[in-house]
């Protein structure tokens, strides 16, 4: 027996085996039923298809014989809606499937029931088809919830003007011009006596010109005007619009084709003159093909010849009326624009080059002007090289400078030892320290320090103790004390003694730049750096 625990049912092994046997039997029964039903269904479908072919053949002959427009066929749109509704029913049915074994089995049973149900409806549809009335349209109504499909005979709908919707007419005629369409031609060509006919291929001229310049409404007017002209001259029953700017006309007395084409062109020319103020142009190109121009002639060969001759005429028309060829106009405009762009690019390039030349010329003139001004301006020490500066010195000063350089020895000076000596003398209090002066070996630069603190900072910044220098003088109020790596030179000593006298005259106050420049023979040094 089954033991129940909560919501879960536990089956015994015997019950599971029994259930599997029952399911296996049920599946075998369903499969056998499906096989039998499928074979029976195939046979019925073959019979139904044969009967439908017979009915369609009978109906086609009736249409050609009577040209009746009361018999309406379901449109392709209605057929598509039917397929969509059937697909929706299948999707709903699939979503109802369960994932477990019992639900799948029940689903197969339900499908089998639906197939049997539709089998009955198929038989009913055949009976309804035989009873169909001439002014009715058959529709299929599907009830997804009840799994039923009914075929009903629905009366033709009434439109607002009291007329009937003629589906056959809509399927075989062009909506814009009212002429027959390609489908109608495919039916009509079967009844043509080709050896008495001419096929005229027609293509509207200047349609793009009219659309682009006046709008698509005027383009539609051009299409309708060509259609009306064909209907007037070839009869509306023999005029077709294949779509876009393509038309076809049949002349059942082939010797009259050229005359009717001329009349059509004349009618379109009258319309052009009538709308001269608006600038509208009504024209078309024609290609005529008569039966028997080639061996084994047929309708397809005639259509091809008519198209080829029409395109030849169209090319001649374009050459003679190039002002209406919008593609050529657009290509020409594009070329003009490209040429204009190229010209603008060339102009821009020329302008850029001219501006560049002008800028270079301006820079050149500016440099020449600066050079001329510099040549006029007296040169300062900064403008001169060392040799040029030395050559400007007096002969006496040049000799002192040369002697000072020659008296320099190769030994390096210990700055820390010099600093100690200066500090000890300053600490004695017998004299005041004014400046510490350092002259370079080439005697071109003089460094003037205010006190021992600046001297120490210079040592730390240079990170050296032993340096090569020419003269080091400490300027005390008692006189200029000589240090350094050189032999005394009287002319050099005089310069620093004069600096001591200048400091005494200022009573120990710092010397200004002008004060230093007034020191006799200070011009020996090209560069003076005062801290």
């Amino acid at each position: 027996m089954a033991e129940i625990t909560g919501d879960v049912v536990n089956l015994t092994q015997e019950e599971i085996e029994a259930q599997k046997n029952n399911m296996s039997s049920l599946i075998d029964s369903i499969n056998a039923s499906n096989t039998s039903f499928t074979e029976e269904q195939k046979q019925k479908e073959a019979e139904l298809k044969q009967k439908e072919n017979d009915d369609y053949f009978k109906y086609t002959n009736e249409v050609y014989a009577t040209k009746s427009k009361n018999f309406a066929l379901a449109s392709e749109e209605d057929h598509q809606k039917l397929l969509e509704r059937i697909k929706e029913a299948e999707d709903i049915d699939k979503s109802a499937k369960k994932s477990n074994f019992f639900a799948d089995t029940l689903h197969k049973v339900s499908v089998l029931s639906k197939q049997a149900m539709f089998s009955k409806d198929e038989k009913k549809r055949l009976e309804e088809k035989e009873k169909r009335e001439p002014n009715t349209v058959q529709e299929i109504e599907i009830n997804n919830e009840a799994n039923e499909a009914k075929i009903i005979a629905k009366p033709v709908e009434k439109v607002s003007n009291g007329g009937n919707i003629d589906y056959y007419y809509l399927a075989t005629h062009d909506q814009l011009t009212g002429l027959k369409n390609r489908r109608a031609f495919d039916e009509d060509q079967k009844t043509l006596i080709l050896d008495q006919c001419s096929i005229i291929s027609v293509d509207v001229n200047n349609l793009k010109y009219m659309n682009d310049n006046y709008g698509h409404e005027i383009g539609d007017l051009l299409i309708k005007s060509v259609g009306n002209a064909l209907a007037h001259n070839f009869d509306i029953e023999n005029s077709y619009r294949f779509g876009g700017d393509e038309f076809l006309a049949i002349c059942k007395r082939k010797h009259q084709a050229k005359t009717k084409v001329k009349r059509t062109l004349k009618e379109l020319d009258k319309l052009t003159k009538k709308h001269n103020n608006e600038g509208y142009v009504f024209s078309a190109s024609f290609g005529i093909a008569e039966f028997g121009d080639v061996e084994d002639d047929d309708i397809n060969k005639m259509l091809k010849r008519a198209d080829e001759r029409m395109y030849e005429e169209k090319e001649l028309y374009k050459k003679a009326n190039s002002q209406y060829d919008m593609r050529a106009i657009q290509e020409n405009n594009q070329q003009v624009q490209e040429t204009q762009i190229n010209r603008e690019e060339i102009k821009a390039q020329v302008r850029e080059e001219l501006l560049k030349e002008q800028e270079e010329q301006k820079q050149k003139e500016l440099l020449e002007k600066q050079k001329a001004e510099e040549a006029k301006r007296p040169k300062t020490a900064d403008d001169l090289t060392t040799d040029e500066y030395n050559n400007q010195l007096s002969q006496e000063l040049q000799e002192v400078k040369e002697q000072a350089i020659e008296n320099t020895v190769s030994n390096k000076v210990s700055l820390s030892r010099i600093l100690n000596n200066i500090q000890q003398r300053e600490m004695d209090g017998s004299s005041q320290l004014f400046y510490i002066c350092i002259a370079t070996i080439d005697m071109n630069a003089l460094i003037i320090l205010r006190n021992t603190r600046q001297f120490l900072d210079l040592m730390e910044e240079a990170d050296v103790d032993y340096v090569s220098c020419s003269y080091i003088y400490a300027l005390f109020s008692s006189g200029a004390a000589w240090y350094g790596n050189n032999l005394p030179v009287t002319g050099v000593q005089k310069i620093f003694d004069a600096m001591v006298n200048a400091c005494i005259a200022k009573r120990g106050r710092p010397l200004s730049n002008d004060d230093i420049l007034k020191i006799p023979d200070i011009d020996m040094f090209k560069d003076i750096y005062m801290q």
Side-chain angles (χ1 to χ4, degrees):
M1 295 297 291
E3 297 178 0
I4 300 176
T5 305
D7 295 332
V8 180
V9 178
N10 298 322
L11 302 179
T12 63
Q13 186 64 31
E14 294 178 356
E15 289 175 332
I16 292 173
E17 293 295 331
Q19 189 179 62
K20 287 182 178 180
N21 293 333
N22 292 336
M23 286 296 102
S24 179
S25 300
L26 180 58
I27 291 171
D28 293 340
S29 175
I30 290 172
N31 291 337
S33 178
N34 278 337
T35 302
S36 176
F37 174 79
T38 301
E39 293 176 355
E40 181 182 352
Q41 189 69 14
K42 286 182 179 179
Q43 183 177 358
K44 287 182 178 181
E45 286 177 355
E47 294 175 357
L48 177 61
K49 187 174 182 180
Q50 182 61 39
K51 191 173 187 313
E52 285 180 343
N53 290 338
D54 294 339
D55 291 343
Y56 179 76
F57 179 79
K58 180 180 178 182
Y59 160 71
T60 304
N61 290 336
E62 289 176 356
V63 171
Y64 282 121
T66 63
K67 298 291 182 179
S68 172
K69 296 179 181 179
N70 294 326
F71 187 77
L73 294 176
S75 66
E76 292 181 3
E77 183 178 358
D78 295 332
H79 181 67
Q80 187 64 30
K81 288 180 179 179
L82 170 62
L83 293 178
E84 291 176 357
R85 294 185 66 181
I86 292 175
K87 187 176 183 302
E88 290 175 359
E90 290 178 355
D91 292 339
I92 292 171
D93 179 63
K94 289 178 181 178
S95 65
K97 293 182 180 180
K98 304 298 180 180
S99 60
N100 55 62
F101 177 79
F102 300 103
D104 290 341
T105 305
L106 292 175
H107 174 68
K108 290 182 179 179
V109 174
S110 66
V111 171
L112 187 62
S113 301
K114 288 180 184 178
Q115 291 174 345
M117 193 175 299
F118 277 105
S119 176
K120 294 178 182 179
D121 289 335
E122 198 68 37
K123 183 177 180 181
K124 185 177 180 182
R125 188 179 72 82
L126 293 175
E127 295 175 355
E128 291 289 342
K129 186 174 181 179
E130 293 176 356
K131 298 178 181 180
R132 181 178 176 185
E133 296 178 2
N135 287 327
T136 62
V137 177
Q138 289 188 357
E139 290 187 358
I140 300 178
E141 180 179 343
I142 298 176
N143 188 339
N144 293 328
E145 296 180 358
N147 293 327
E148 293 181 353
K150 295 181 181 179
I151 300 174
I152 60 174
K154 187 176 180 181
V156 175
E157 296 180 11
K158 299 289 184 179
V159 293
S160 59
N161 61 5
N164 293 333
I165 296 178
D166 192 335
Y167 290 100
Y168 178 77
Y169 178 84
L170 293 177
T172 56
H173 286 73
D174 174 55
Q175 185 177 0
L176 179 62
T177 61
L179 300 182
K180 292 182 179 180
N181 59 17
R182 185 182 291 273
R183 179 178 294 177
F185 175 75
D186 291 339
E187 294 180 359
D188 292 350
Q189 66 171 312
K190 299 174 184 177
T191 61
L192 290 177
I193 303 175
L194 291 181
D195 59 355
Q196 298 180 7
C197 295
S198 291
I199 299 292
I200 298 92
S201 178
V202 185
D203 193 271
V204 178
N205 292 330
N206 312 321
L207 181 58
K208 183 172 177 57
Y209 173 82
M210 297 282 272
N211 282 332
D212 291 354
N213 288 279
Y214 306 107
H216 287 274
E217 292 183 358
I218 305 304
D220 290 346
L221 175 62
L222 172 59
I223 293 173
K224 288 190 284 187
S225 299
V226 173
N228 291 337
L230 292 175
H232 293 162
N233 294 282
F234 289 93
D235 190 65
I236 194 169
E237 290 296 323
N238 299 320
S239 303
Y240 305 84
R241 184 190 180 203
F242 281 2
D245 53 2
E246 298 181 11
F247 289 83
L248 187 77
I250 299 173
C251 184
K252 294 186 176 179
R253 296 182 179 179
K254 59 183 180 181
H255 62 278
Q256 297 180 352
K258 294 182 179 179
T259 302
K260 291 186 176 183
V261 168
K262 289 180 180 179
R263 289 176 183 173
T264 305
L265 287 170
K266 190 174 182 181
E267 185 174 336
L268 294 174
D269 187 54
K270 286 181 179 179
L271 283 174
T272 301
K273 293 178 180 178
K274 180 180 178 181
H275 294 278
N276 182 52
N277 293 334
E278 293 90 342
Y280 302 161
V281 182
F282 297 86
S283 176
S285 296
F286 295 80
I288 303 174
E290 295 182 358
F291 182 82
D293 288 348
V294 297
E295 293 183 3
D296 300 326
D297 207 358
D298 58 22
I299 187 67
N300 292 325
K301 292 180 181 179
M302 292 177 70
L303 289 170
K304 184 178 180 181
R305 290 201 306 277
D307 281 341
E308 291 173 351
R309 291 168 184 173
M310 179 273 293
Y311 284 120
E312 291 175 359
E313 291 295 323
K314 196 169 186 70
E315 288 301 318
L316 293 175
Y317 178 85
K318 285 182 179 180
K319 291 179 181 179
N321 300 274
S322 58
Q323 68 274 23
Y324 303 131
D325 190 350
M326 288 303 297
R327 290 182 177 85
I329 292 173
Q330 290 174 353
E331 290 177 359
N332 184 54
N333 290 339
Q334 185 177 358
Q335 291 177 356
V336 171
Q337 290 177 358
E338 290 176 354
T339 303
Q340 186 66 24
I341 291 172
N342 292 336
R343 288 178 179 174
E344 293 298 328
E345 290 178 350
I346 293 172
K347 288 180 180 178
Q349 186 176 359
V350 170
R351 284 197 296 269
E352 185 177 354
E353 291 177 355
L354 287 174
L355 290 174
K356 186 177 180 180
E357 290 178 0
Q358 291 175 358
E359 185 65 24
E360 290 177 351
Q361 183 65 25
K362 188 182 293 184
Q363 292 293 332
K364 184 177 180 181
E365 292 175 357
L366 183 61
L367 289 174
E368 291 177 354
K369 185 177 180 180
Q370 289 177 350
K371 289 180 179 179
E373 292 177 352
E374 289 176 358
K376 294 178 181 179
R377 180 172 54 84
K379 291 185 177 181
T380 64
D382 293 335
D383 301 326
L384 302 175
T385 64
T386 301
D387 292 338
E388 290 174 343
Y389 183 83
N390 290 334
N391 292 332
Q392 287 186 351
L393 298 176
S394 65
Q395 184 66 31
E396 183 181 355
L397 203 55
Q398 288 183 26
E399 291 176 358
V400 172
K401 192 171 185 177
E402 289 175 0
Q403 186 181 1
I405 294 172
E406 289 176 358
N407 287 346
T408 302
V409 295
S410 60
N411 296 333
K412 292 185 178 181
V413 180
S414 175
L415 296 178
S416 59
R417 188 181 67 181
I418 294 174
L419 180 62
N420 289 332
N421 293 335
I422 294 174
Q423 286 176 336
Q424 286 178 3
R425 184 171 180 178
E426 185 180 18
M427 291 174 64
D428 289 345
S430 58
S431 61
Q432 179 184 354
L433 177 65
F434 295 135
Y435 291 104
I436 300 174
C437 299
I438 303 174
T440 58
I441 293 176
D442 57 7
M443 297 298 288
N444 288 321
L446 177 65
I447 301 171
I448 302 175
L449 306 176
R450 291 182 182 277
N451 48 50
T452 56
R453 177 71 258 177
Q454 290 184 351
F455 190 89
L456 181 61
D457 291 341
L458 182 64
M459 289 174 55
E460 291 178 352
E461 186 177 352
D463 195 21
V464 294
D465 184 34
Y466 292 91
V467 294
S468 296
C469 57
S470 184
Y471 288 89
I472 296 179
Y473 274 88
L475 307 182
F476 292 98
S477 55
S478 57
W482 164 77
Y483 301 94
N485 189 22
N486 63 305
L487 298 176
V489 175
T490 304
V492 176
Q493 183 71 35
K494 288 173 57 177
I495 294 173
F496 294 109
D497 286 340
M499 288 185 68
V500 170
N501 294 332
C503 290
I504 294 173
K506 294 275 291 188
R507 296 182 180 180
R509 292 194 303 272
L511 299 177
S512 66
N513 292 341
D514 291 337
D515 294 335
I516 293 176
L517 293 176
K518 292 177 181 179
I519 303 297
D521 297 337
I522 196 71
D523 293 340
M524 178 188 295
F525 301 101
K526 180 176 180 294
D527 301 311
I528 299 175
Y529 303 96
M530 189 170 185
Q531 297 292 329

